[in-house]
Amino acid sequence: MASFKIEGGHLLKGTITPQGAKNEALQVICATLLTSDRVSIRNIPDIRDVNNLIQLLRDIGVKVQKLEAGVYTFQADTLNLQYLESDEFVQKCAALRGSVMMIGPLLARMGKAVITKPGGDKIGRRRLDTHFLGFKHLGAKFHHVEGRNVYEIGAKQLKGTYMLLDEASVTGTANIIMAAVFAKGTTTIYNAACEPYLQQLCHMLNRMGANITGIGSNLLSIVGVKSLHGTEHRLLPDMIEVGSFIGMAAMCGDGIRIQNVSLKDLGIIPDAFRRLGIKVKVDGDDLYIPRQRHYIVDSFIDGTIMTLADAPWPGLTPDLLSVLIVVATQARGSVLFHQKMFESRLFFVDKLIDMGAQIILCDPHRAVVVGHDRKLTLHAQRMSSPDIRAGIALLIAAMSANGTSIISNIEQIDRGYENIEARLNALGAKIERI
């Protein structure tokens, strides 16, 4: 297992470009299973989770070609149905969270799929009920195979219907959409997730011949079609990486430009950092974060303490709370962070406390950060990355700290951030992979 050795205290300066969106990549790559024609996708990030999903598609018979860095073509004209039901395939799916979004396309096109509990971040319970309930509404039948601990899902013909999702699950909505494109009749999904990446998936499917309306809202309508054809698609910049870079620039930047961010798809992310007092300047489709010796936390209009809480889109994404917490440790003022959507994501703050941060962990969902106003600098520590987003937050903390830190289990960071040490070293960081 690899580790990062980080020499803290170096100021970062220059320009950086965000990678293609990881979460969008996982969705649209799975959508290529819906057609036997060739689909071309650009701006695919070279990260562990995406590469593992691409390999999984190769394993089931999809013809995958890498034309150049970030550009792939996929053609699912001859799938290995026997391999799709094998224990080896099930085991590979269990190790990759994104594999769950293969179920909808396989169910729609092949009439059957096999699923086990997928892997991914250890950030609390991530149930699949929304996926299952959506497929059941469409007429799929489930059979639990005890000996293999898998579910076999099948349907001769999915049928369009109205459904109210129990939660606005992003992967659940994506999976149900992909299953419904071939369902007979009209499917209406209420309380659908509506993140920009889901909008991208819907637009891509429509270019392939699907009939989806209500895109960008929580009420989607999908009129089933008989087949889909090929298309070309380009991924959005990764909004989580953009937010991570804003946090880095605030903590240890000497003027950083983040270019080509697709500002209209960032939602309230820039404003969340502005609430911590960070200056985020807009220049066309770029963001520029100047060096700030001090940044002062806003308070609410009535004078009460600032609270930042995650919420489904267009609310604040939970994936950036860990970065915002690190940034708040050096602000002037106090902030209450309320992590509502996962129950284990705040436990990484113990590592920040060991580095000298003033944080009160109230319970698994709430933490109060009392900012140092840069009067006390974090000090180096030996740490382990528990998940992708906590890992990048700890990397930011280590870059701003006095001394040399070691972060182990960086395979978690590699799952979501492409060649991160080289890109940050180009700005002036001192990070070594060991």
Side-chain angles (χ1 to χ4, degrees):
M1 294 178 69
S3 300
F4 279 148
K5 180 180 178 182
I6 307 105
E7 185 181 296
H10 296 278
L11 290 176
L12 279 58
K13 187 180 182 67
T15 300
I16 193 165
T17 304
Q19 66 190 27
K22 172 201 172 212
N23 290 338
E24 181 187 347
L26 297 176
Q27 294 175 27
V28 299
I29 289 172
C30 289
T32 65
L33 293 169
L34 287 165
T35 179
S36 59
D37 291 351
R38 193 167 76 159
V39 177
S40 173
I41 304 177
R42 308 182 73 85
N43 204 27
I44 292 179
D46 183 11
I47 55 178
R48 184 180 295 265
D49 273 12
V50 171
N51 292 338
N52 286 346
L53 180 62
I54 291 173
Q55 184 57 49
L56 194 57
L57 263 62
R58 284 192 176 103
D59 292 342
I60 66 174
V62 178
K63 298 181 180 72
V64 181
Q65 283 188 298
K66 183 176 181 180
L67 304 183
E68 57 184 88
V71 183
Y72 287 78
T73 63
F74 303 84
Q75 188 164 10
D77 53 349
T78 53
L79 297 182
N80 186 341
L81 298 181
Q82 187 174 2
Y83 183 76
L84 282 167
E85 298 177 2
S86 69
D87 288 337
E88 181 181 344
F89 174 70
V90 169
Q91 289 168 5
K92 288 185 177 181
C93 288
L96 177 63
R97 177 75 189 173
S99 66
V100 71
M101 284 178 290
M102 295 173 63
I103 305 169
L106 290 173
L107 181 61
R109 187 170 167 205
M110 302 299 169
K112 58 183 178 179
V114 178
I115 181 176
T116 187
K117 185 178 179 181
D121 285 329
K122 307 305 180 188
I123 54 174
R125 186 174 58 95
R126 304 179 79 175
R127 60 191 181 85
L128 298 179
D129 298 56
T130 304
H131 304 245
F132 282 22
L133 291 170
F135 297 145
K136 285 183 71 174
H137 279 302
L138 293 171
K141 304 293 184 184
F142 291 78
H143 173 63
H144 184 239
V145 183
E146 294 287 347
R148 298 174 65 200
N149 194 28
V150 299
Y151 285 93
E152 294 178 348
I153 311 171
K156 290 183 179 179
Q157 173 66 66
L158 297 175
K159 295 180 181 180
T161 186
Y162 168 87
M163 65 182 80
L164 173 61
L165 301 188
D166 61 330
E167 65 174 351
S169 164
V170 177
T171 54
T173 302
N175 231 344
I176 296 165
I177 290 169
M178 290 188 282
V181 291
F182 290 159
K184 186 177 181 180
T186 300
T187 301
T188 302
I189 308 173
Y190 198 22
N191 195 30
C194 53
E195 272 79 354
Y197 305 145
L198 266 168
Q199 298 175 38
Q200 285 279 95
L201 171 67
C202 291
H203 289 310
M204 173 180 160
L205 292 172
N206 278 349
R207 290 196 303 274
M208 294 170 70
N211 187 349
I212 306 171
T213 56
I215 300 171
S217 75
N218 68 346
L219 181 61
L220 294 174
S221 179
I222 304 145
V223 180
V225 297
K226 292 188 180 298
S227 64
L228 297 180
H229 51 74
T231 190
E232 294 184 358
H233 182 76
R234 182 179 179 85
L235 302 181
L236 289 174
D238 195 305
M239 70 169 77
I240 311 304
E241 193 170 74
V242 172
S244 301
F245 292 155
I246 296 173
M248 289 177 187
M251 287 286 282
C252 44
D254 189 21
I256 290 180
R257 177 177 293 272
I258 310 167
Q259 64 180 8
N260 302 327
V261 300
S262 189
L263 184 64
K264 66 182 179 61
D265 295 302
L266 292 181
I268 65 171
I269 288 172
D271 284 338
F273 285 94
R274 290 184 181 114
R275 287 184 175 185
L276 297 181
I278 308 303
K279 293 178 182 176
V280 182
K281 299 182 178 181
V282 176
D283 182 9
D285 205 32
D286 296 356
L287 297 178
Y288 180 74
I289 295 84
R291 185 180 180 185
Q292 286 182 252
R293 296 190 180 277
H294 302 279
Y295 44 97
I296 303 171
V297 178
D298 283 346
S299 60
F300 289 115
I301 292 173
D302 62 359
T304 54
I305 186 173
M306 175 56 60
T307 299
L308 290 176
D310 61 337
W313 186 269
L316 179 61
T317 170
D319 285 346
L320 279 176
L321 277 192
S322 53
V323 172
L324 287 159
I325 287 171
V326 169
V327 173
T329 65
Q330 294 302 318
R332 182 186 300 170
S334 300
V335 193
L336 170 63
F337 290 92
H338 192 170
Q339 165 63 268
K340 299 176 181 178
M341 297 174 67
F342 300 99
E343 64 263 27
S344 303
R345 261 191 166 164
L346 292 185
F347 291 141
F348 88 101
V349 302
D350 286 347
K351 300 174 176 63
L352 298 179
I353 293 170
D354 290 342
M355 297 178 77
Q358 292 184 314
I359 302 176
I360 303 166
L361 185 59
C362 308
D363 54 43
H365 292 275
R366 294 177 301 160
V368 175
V369 180
V370 181
H372 287 311
D373 193 21
R374 300 199 191 271
K375 293 175 182 176
L376 293 174
T377 305
L378 299 178
H379 49 258
Q381 281 288 319
R382 181 177 289 271
M383 302 170 279
S384 178
S385 172
D387 63 72
I388 302 175
R389 308 310 174 185
I392 202 70
L394 293 175
L395 181 59
I396 295 170
M399 287 193 295
S400 72
N402 284 329
T404 300
S405 298
I406 302 291
I407 301 177
S408 61
N409 195 29
I410 60 170
E411 287 79 9
Q412 286 286 354
I413 301 175
D414 290 337
R415 288 179 50 219
Y417 294 86
E418 178 179 336
N419 197 19
I420 190 64
E421 72 272 27
R423 295 161 72 200
L424 297 182
N425 285 343
L427 297 177
K430 298 292 183 183
I431 306 170
E432 180 186 356
R433 183 179 291 258
I434 57 175

